[in-house]
Amino acid sequence: MTQAFEPAFLPRRRRSAPDVRFASGATIAELSALTGATARALRHYEDEGLLSPYRSRGGTRSFSPEQRRRAQIIVRLRDLDMPISEIRAVLDDPAEANHRILRFLDAQSVLLDQRLSDVRNLKRRIGRTDVVFDDDFLTGPVA
């Protein structure tokens, strides 16, 4: 049996214990599947300072359970069109989080009510005429 030749000037590889923080975390692909956000979006949230995953020596991201929960919150708030700056404020101040979210949702509700009113008015106007693009349609309010 022959042994592999190892020059004396090369250090022997040491086996290190696996990093528990890395082993218990989710990869970006797993987090993407969990949240429905793209990996690109998750990287963007990291660039914005909203997420801070552990990085292996090779640069692979590992998201702890806390980071996974945080990502789910971010994705949910982005689904509601909350700007990144507001999400940052929500995450940075948990005591005020509910208040900030409710205030944002109230504003969104007002916008949606106005949009719904515009849609209903347009449907009524279209129902009154055979010509869709009449003068009334062209000059009426559209959000």
Side-chain angles (χ1 to χ4, degrees), residues 104-121:
F104 174 78
L105 292 176
D106 285 342
Q108 287 296 94
S109 180
V110 169
L111 292 172
L112 289 172
D113 287 344
Q114 181 59 50
R115 180 84 173 156
L116 182 58
S117 175
D118 290 347
V119 167
R120 286 182 177 147
N121 287 337

Side-chain angles (χ1 to χ4, degrees), residues 75-115:
V75 170
R76 183 68 182 118
L77 294 175
R78 285 298 298 141
D79 284 347
L80 296 170
D81 293 328
M82 182 178 273
I84 296 282
S85 59
E86 272 297 307
I87 294 172
R88 183 177 291 106
V90 164
L91 295 172
D92 288 348
D93 189 0
E96 285 293 312
N98 287 348
H99 178 70
R100 285 182 182 277
I101 292 169
L102 287 173
R103 192 172 58 222
F104 174 78
L105 292 176
D106 285 342
Q108 287 296 94
S109 180
V110 169
L111 292 172
L112 289 172
D113 287 344
Q114 181 59 50
R115 180 84 173 156

Side-chain angles (χ1 to χ4, degrees), residues 28-29 32 37-44:
I28 198 162
S32 177
T38 63
R40 182 177 181 199
L42 295 169
R43 285 187 207 99
H44 176 68

Side-chain angles (χ1 to χ4, degrees), residues 19-31 46 51-57 59-68:
D19 191 322
V20 175
R21 292 177 300 179
F22 190 76
S24 66
T27 65
I28 198 162
E30 292 166 338
L31 187 60
E46 181 183 0
L51 293 174
S52 53
Y54 172 76
R55 293 286 195 121
S56 72
R57 286 186 184 152
T60 303
R61 292 166 178 86
S62 178
F63 295 88
S64 68
E66 178 187 329
Q67 288 293 304
R68 290 192 299 262

